[in-house]
Amino acid sequence: MLVGCSSPAKDPLACAREVDADVVQLHLSAPRVWRDPKQRIDADELRDAALVVSAHAPYLCNPASADPAVREKTTRSLQVTLDEAARCGARGVVVHAGHAAGGGTMEDAVARWIEVARPLHSDVALLIENTAAGQTAPGRHLADIARLFGALRAVDLDVPLGACFDTCHAWAGDPLCATNPAGYVAAFAEATGGIDLLHVNDSKDEAGAGRDRHTNLGTGRMGLDVLEAMVTTAERLGAPAAIVETPSEDGGHRADIAMLRSWTADAGEAALR
Ligand SMILES: [Zn+2]
């Protein structure tokens, strides 16, 4: 399995070298404002690097929002991020599954998702990530995740669809996760059709707390045994890459990546582009 970390957008190649990452995830535009990505000057370098790159859409994106203006901005933001991701040779663009902000049922949330995804066109995969919080959030509980993916897969989309599983979000979002973490990962893969990217983060909060606060592996409430069970299950089910989105200070990423490597099989040259 390829392992790596989220990287500051500034110099992902240097970041990867520094922490010994096979894969990096970066934002292609400021994560908390609606702004189109600028064309990266290191796009060729990123594309040619023996490194897998994944991109993360801005956090404002909410395909399940009741507000048509937010959905329209989300479609635009996803499209321009997919376009720039393609220039940079990224394998996927991660987007949170969102929530029905402004009202509506789960059925409405799923219908809004379809409306947002339908105009998108790209060869880069859109990776929908499970979420820790929010009411009427289609990425929070397994039955809703299955419903969202089922509905999206039934539509003839012009973008490959994939799933990103975040260990912290599952732990904090759904109390079911803590009772059988490995089984939960397997059930998620079943609901989505597979795991394309793993986000491995410990949680500062108790199981089912509904909060999204990441921390370094082994320093939160999940415990290393739970995290290891989730990672090895995802690897066994074919997840190709795992990244940490944890604090990088004081060697945090380096230590977390070393921990991931101790749990996973060496990816080898074949998995690299
Ligand atoms: Zn994540």
Side-chain angles (χ1 to χ4, degrees):
M1 185 185 242
L2 298 164
V3 301
C5 60
S6 55
S7 157
K10 201 163 179 232
D11 195 351
L13 291 171
C15 166
R17 272 194 301 272
E18 200 182 309
V19 298
D20 188 26
D22 313 311
V23 49
V24 287
Q25 171 179 285
L26 63 155
H27 284 276
L28 296 173
S29 59
R32 296 180 200 284
V33 288
W34 295 113
R35 192 177 295 152
D36 290 359
K38 284 201 198 96
Q39 293 207 336
R40 291 187 65 96
I41 52 169
D42 60 356
D44 290 349
E45 247 183 299
L46 286 171
R47 212 170 40 236
D48 296 341
L51 173 85
V52 178
V53 178
S54 138
H56 203 302
Y59 299 122
L60 296 177
C61 286
N62 183 5
S65 171
D67 183 347
V70 170
R71 296 201 299 275
E72 204 173 300
K73 284 180 186 167
T74 297
T75 294
R76 178 182 170 86
S77 179
L78 291 177
Q79 185 62 57
V80 292
T81 304
L82 286 163
D83 292 345
E84 181 59 9
R87 272 188 77 243
C88 298
R91 298 286 185 85
V93 169
V94 176
V95 62
H96 290 176
H99 59 110
T105 61
M106 195 59 77
E107 206 174 320
D108 296 327
V110 170
R112 293 167 189 160
W113 243 108
I114 291 171
E115 181 199 309
V116 164
R118 223 189 260 276
L120 300 175
H121 57 92
S122 182
D123 293 330
V124 175
L126 188 67
L127 305 180
I128 303 175
E129 180 173 0
N130 62 318
T131 53
Q135 298 299 317
T136 325
R140 186 165 173 181
H141 301 284
L142 285 175
D144 300 321
I145 291 167
R147 187 167 169 183
L148 175 64
F149 274 82
L152 285 167
R153 291 204 190 278
V155 181
D156 199 12
L157 294 179
D158 202 11
V159 60
L161 202 64
C164 173
F165 181 86
D166 189 305
T167 58
C168 166
H169 297 181
W171 169 268
D174 190 345
L176 269 184
C177 176
T179 59
N180 179 3
Y184 194 89
V185 172
F188 178 88
E190 173 96 28
T192 58
I195 297 172
D196 299 277
L197 178 65
L198 198 58
H199 282 174
V200 186
N201 305 302
D202 205 335
S203 169
K204 285 185 182 173
D205 299 289
E206 292 297 347
R211 301 189 69 186
D212 180 7
R213 301 194 305 155
H214 300 183
T215 189
N216 296 101
L217 311 188
T219 70
R221 311 302 280 263
M222 294 179 68
L224 289 174
D225 288 352
V226 165
L227 285 161
E228 182 177 4
M230 292 171 109
V231 171
T232 53
T233 303
E235 181 174 40
R236 184 170 51 77
L237 295 172
I243 65 148
V244 295
E245 301 169 300
T246 52
S248 60
E249 300 80 37
D250 304 323
H253 275 174
R254 189 167 255 287
D256 287 345
I257 286 172
M259 185 71 74
L260 277 182
R261 282 202 204 285
S262 76
W263 293 338
T264 58
D266 194 351
E269 285 297 306
L272 296 174
R273 289 177 300 140

